[in-house]
Amino acid sequence: MVSERDVTAAVERTMLHHPDVRIVGMGARGIAIAFQRAIDGIDGADGIAGIGGNDVTKVEPRDDLRIRRHTSPMETAETAEIAKNIENAGTAESDENAGTVGTGDIAETGNWAEYARRWHALKPNIVHDDPRKPQEQMDLDVEWAREVAAGTREPTLRFWEWAEPAVVIGRFQSLEDEVNVHTAQDEGFHIVRRCTGGGAMFIEPGNTITYSLYAPLDFAHGMSVEESYELCDYWLVEALRALGLNVRFAGLNDIATQYGKLGGAAQRRFAPTHGGPGAILHHVTLAYDIDAEKMTRVLNISREKMSDKAVKSAAKHVDPMRSQTGMGRDEVVARLVDAAVRVTM
């Protein structure tokens, strides 16, 4: 096993051979960290010593949190067929070392009638959860996805409530490169690492709306990675449009309007275990409101990154739903929960 220093040096030597190439958003050390996490896995030590714990807490939703419960059995597919589909999508992985879907620029390409049919057939349990601490949220996401992968939990759509402010960094990100750690801690933010890739998220409980979908792999059977994102967010886009927002997909995993980005999605695939169907974990965080000045103090937002996003400020990069809907956060969440119920009826 090579050291992080050796990998960093190798990347730096390679970069010297390509003087006309510029890396945006990550340096040589960040690439080395991502490489080592990819081959070592981070399900044990998460690389955030003294900040976030790793113990998975067993948590079940209370009966009064479960909005609807469907008792029809999950449809499953042959394990070999599922594995073939994952490989064709470029996401073949095991439960312990599942990779993260990449990014790209796509338009709205899907068959919306087919998306509606699949959601109706999925009939997930819909849970509007109690507030939970940031690390508990991270642990619960993985636990429920693995239970769906093993066939011991039905498909579930869970709306989160955050008990504390947090900075959530992606699975392969460098903590030091992404977060002003001392500032974040001084201002009461808990720093945690999620099991999917992507960028850092700035979470304030009253300003953020988050949900997770835990679905069997065959929910996206026969679809490309791009289509699977549109499928998983189909109900959300329909709900936001019903609120009067001109919503569109931006790239692979962002949801935006003409005014800016509303939020982003990430996915991880879990291979079948114990004869189960495997699972797709798809989670989305939306900005209801945002303190842009505080966010720029807590996160390291480079000039290159902001330029690459073609924006002049963090406030313009993420345009919150409060300004576009005129509704309170609780009302927006209630409308989204109702929309999720309707789309599966």
Side-chain angles (χ1 to χ4, degrees):
M1 189 67 65
V2 295
S3 68
E4 176 188 313
R5 180 177 298 178
D6 291 338
V7 178
T8 300
V11 173
E12 289 174 342
R13 287 195 299 271
T14 301
M15 291 168 65
L16 290 175
H17 292 297
H18 302 277
D20 297 329
V21 175
R22 184 168 63 101
I23 297 178
V24 176
M26 179 177 286
R29 181 168 175 268
I31 293 173
I33 292 172
F35 169 78
Q36 292 211 297
R37 291 196 180 119
I39 61 176
D40 293 344
I42 62 165
D43 287 343
D46 67 359
I48 312 181
I51 298 176
N54 305 303
D55 294 335
V56 175
T57 304
K58 183 71 174 179
V59 184
E60 291 292 338
R62 299 198 321 263
D63 289 341
D64 58 337
L65 289 176
R66 190 181 299 279
I67 296 172
R68 283 162 77 236
R69 179 175 179 84
H70 302 275
T71 57
S72 58
M74 291 184 298
E75 297 179 359
T76 61
E78 293 294 334
T79 301
E81 182 68 18
I82 294 172
K84 179 181 178 181
N85 291 335
I86 300 173
E87 185 175 1
N88 289 340
T91 60
E93 55 203 353
S94 70
D95 181 53
E96 292 300 319
N97 296 293
T100 302
V101 176
T103 59
D105 293 324
I106 63 169
E108 210 167 280
T109 59
N111 181 336
W112 287 73
E114 175 63 14
Y115 296 168
R117 186 194 69 79
R118 293 196 186 205
W119 270 96
H120 178 71
L122 184 68
K123 288 183 167 56
N125 290 324
I126 299 175
V127 175
H128 188 180
D129 209 353
D130 279 336
R132 299 187 188 278
K133 293 183 178 182
Q135 187 59 50
E136 187 180 9
Q137 297 280 26
M138 303 302 106
D139 295 340
L140 196 65
D141 236 13
V142 174
E143 181 182 346
W144 284 20
R146 286 181 173 161
E147 289 174 357
V148 170
T152 59
R153 178 179 293 277
E154 293 176 289
T156 302
L157 181 67
R158 178 174 74 98
F159 290 87
W160 302 21
E161 294 293 346
W162 296 86
E164 299 169 338
V167 172
V168 183
I169 63 173
R171 188 180 185 196
F172 303 115
Q173 286 188 300
S174 163
L175 173 63
E176 294 79 8
D177 290 345
E178 297 295 328
V179 184
N180 294 316
V181 175
H182 294 302
T183 300
Q185 292 175 321
D186 289 344
E187 300 207 16
F189 285 81
H190 297 262
I191 304 173
V192 293
R193 188 184 297 280
R194 65 180 179 271
C195 70
T196 58
M201 298 190 306
F202 177 80
I203 303 293
E204 292 183 296
N207 292 341
T208 304
I209 299 172
T210 305
Y211 76 85
S212 288
L213 172 67
Y214 315 89
L217 279 176
D218 63 348
F219 180 53
H221 173 76
M223 289 186 169
S224 67
V225 172
E226 292 86 351
E227 288 174 316
S228 76
Y229 270 78
E230 292 187 5
L231 169 66
C232 291
D233 288 332
Y234 159 77
W235 77 270
L236 176 65
V237 171
E238 292 291 286
L240 293 176
R241 286 175 176 171
L243 293 179
L245 278 62
N246 182 16
V247 181
R248 60 183 176 82
F249 292 105
L252 176 66
N253 62 334
D254 285 347
I255 297 169
T257 70
Q258 67 272 34
Y259 302 111
K261 175 180 172 180
L262 286 179
Q267 280 189 13
R268 177 174 166 181
R269 309 293 176 95
F270 291 77
T273 59
H274 307 294
I280 299 173
L281 166 62
H282 180 94
H283 47 204
V284 174
T285 295
L286 302 167
Y288 170 74
D289 201 353
I290 195 165
D291 185 337
E293 193 278 329
K294 183 185 292 185
M295 182 178 74
T296 56
R297 291 201 309 269
V298 171
L299 301 183
N300 291 323
I301 304 177
S302 67
R303 291 181 180 179
E304 291 85 355
K305 183 174 182 180
M306 297 308 291
S307 174
D308 185 52
K309 296 293 185 181
V311 294
K312 296 180 180 179
S313 69
K316 292 183 179 179
H317 174 45
V318 179
D319 193 84
M321 283 192 289
R322 182 179 66 83
S323 64
Q324 295 191 46
T325 65
M327 298 178 183
R329 180 188 177 278
D330 290 346
E331 183 179 0
V332 171
V333 172
R335 296 279 290 270
L336 294 180
V337 171
D338 288 344
V341 171
R342 289 196 305 272
V343 81
T344 62
M345 293 177 64

